[in-house]
Amino acid sequence: MMQFLMAAALFLLAGVRVPALLRNRTDLVFSCAVYGGVGSLLMSPIVYVPVDTALGGMNLVKLVLNSLMIISLWYLRLAAFAAIAPEAGGRRSWWTRTLPLTLTLTLQTVFFLLTGPTITTPAWGIYEDRFPALLFSLMLTLFICSMSAEIAVICFRYIPRMSRSFRVGFSMLGAGCIMGFLVMAEMCLSLLARHLTFLAILVRPDFPYHQLELVATVLAGAGLTIPAVAGRAARRNLHRWNTETLARVESIWAKALQSTSLDRTLEADPQAPVQDRLHRMIVEIWDADLAAGTSATFLDAEERSYLLSVEAKLHISPARA
């Protein structure tokens, strides 16, 4: 049941990211959610058994779902770095940047082949009786541990620099990654204890793996969603401000040119970005006001105050006090 809840949470996250996917034609969080959602579905015994049986009944689905979860975590890492510290990749080559992913996928495939054909074993903890199978499963848990730790570190390192929505979102993502790290660390101990019996004293048989995985997934998903939702709201507000401001500044600009009979040497391009058009029109208004002189000024106090506030919003140093 927990696997279905995890899959539902991940597919919900994917749905939230569809607008970004359509807008940019690609979205790292969407890819992370889809790969993770499919992997979570395959993890459920209700889905695992019939699918694996159809593929020959030799646990081939384990290789598939482990690979999906590894790729999902890799996309989560890329999304976190792209949002928080896009410069972190530096000038490293594509091969160097993807080495952890390539190495993990390769090693787990090798260990899966070394394990050899086995009868479908959907229950966790049975398949790992063979040592190569143990190493195969460790590839996933160790990869999740390393990615979770790396994402948590980058989140909490850069949180002080973030805006409010990003600070809340990436604090939740970091907390989810810390929880994911602890769950995977406990799972690593449990796996190793099957062959290294002296570790059994550290294993908690009643450890709520799936419940904590679900909480970690929800925290990470919500953390990635909050900045995106806040970003959409900010873009809507900016669009509304641009529209309203452009209409008012344009009316003042038309009055300025008419009042002073100046040539429109800086006339804004209607195809240019709104910010550029506003900038150009404000420059012309101040020029027209200077040309008119103090005795024939056409700007009243309210219009002057409004233009100065628009300049401040556009991060333009006022040309006239």
Side-chain angles (χ1 to χ4, degrees), residues 68 182 256:
L68 290 172
L182 295 175

Side-chain angles (χ1 to χ4, degrees), residues 4 13 30 35 37 54 105 120 134 143 149 153 156 209 236 246 292 301:
F4 285 112
L13 174 60
F30 177 85
Y35 280 108
L105 290 174
T120 299
L134 168 68
F143 185 82
V153 168
F156 290 112
Y209 294 103
R236 285 196 301 271
L246 184 63

Side-chain angles (χ1 to χ4, degrees), residues 282 286 304 307-312 315-321:
I282 289 174
W286 290 134
R304 287 177 180 277
L307 291 172
L308 289 171
S309 70
V310 172
E311 282 187 324
H315 303 291
I316 302 171
S317 297
R320 183 181 176 106

Side-chain angles (χ1 to χ4, degrees), residues 120-132:
T120 299
T121 53
W124 182 80
I126 300 175
Y127 181 72
E128 290 76 14
D129 283 341
R130 299 187 183 188
F131 189 69

